[in-house]
Amino acid sequence: MENGKSRLQQAQETVDEVTVIMMDNMNKAEERSGKLEDLEDRADDLLAKSKTFEKTANKVKQQKRWENNKMKMVFIGVGVVAAVVIIGLIIFAIVDGTGGQ
């Protein structure tokens, strides 16, 4: 009977060890689950911030493109005015040079 009792005790000890290991594994799995949820929340927050950044970047890009086009127009206008003044001076010099004789 003692052998039977010791076998039962050994089986009970093995079951207790397995129970402790299983509880530890469950606790670790629960802890990982919490960390994964935090990571998922952070990823969602990062996604929302990246979408906001993309919208802002597109607005700034469009604004800078418009400012660049305005500057081009100003430089073209100044160039045209300068060309007209130079052509006017040349025509005036030609007319004045030939009309005076």
Side-chain angles (χ1 to χ4, degrees), residues 4-94:
K5 198 173 187 183
S6 70
R7 282 189 204 163
L8 182 60
Q9 285 177 344
Q10 285 177 346
Q12 185 62 41
E13 288 173 3
T14 304
V15 168
D16 288 343
E17 288 177 20
V18 169
T19 303
V20 168
I21 292 170
M22 287 177 58
M23 293 298 286
D24 187 44
N25 286 343
M26 287 178 62
N27 289 338
K28 288 180 180 179
E30 197 172 312
E31 187 177 308
R32 276 190 221 113
S33 175
K35 289 180 180 179
L36 286 173
E37 288 175 6
D38 289 344
L39 186 59
E40 188 176 331
D41 290 343
R42 289 172 55 192
D44 289 342
D45 188 39
L46 186 59
L47 179 63
K49 287 180 180 180
S50 71
K51 286 181 180 179
T52 302
F53 176 77
E54 183 180 12
K55 287 179 184 177
T56 303
N58 284 336
K59 285 181 183 178
V60 169
K61 181 180 174 182
Q62 190 175 21
Q63 181 182 10
K64 291 300 178 183
R65 185 179 296 147
W66 175 246
E67 288 175 7
N68 190 24
N69 286 339
K70 285 194 316 187
M71 289 304 295
K72 283 181 184 178
M73 292 297 188
V74 167
F75 287 136
I76 289 171
V78 168
V80 168
V81 168
V84 167
V85 167
I86 291 171
I87 292 172
L89 288 174
I90 292 172
I91 292 174
F92 179 74
I94 292 173

Side-chain angles (χ1 to χ4, degrees), residues 93-101:
I94 292 173
V95 171
D96 189 40
T98 57
Q101 290 180 346

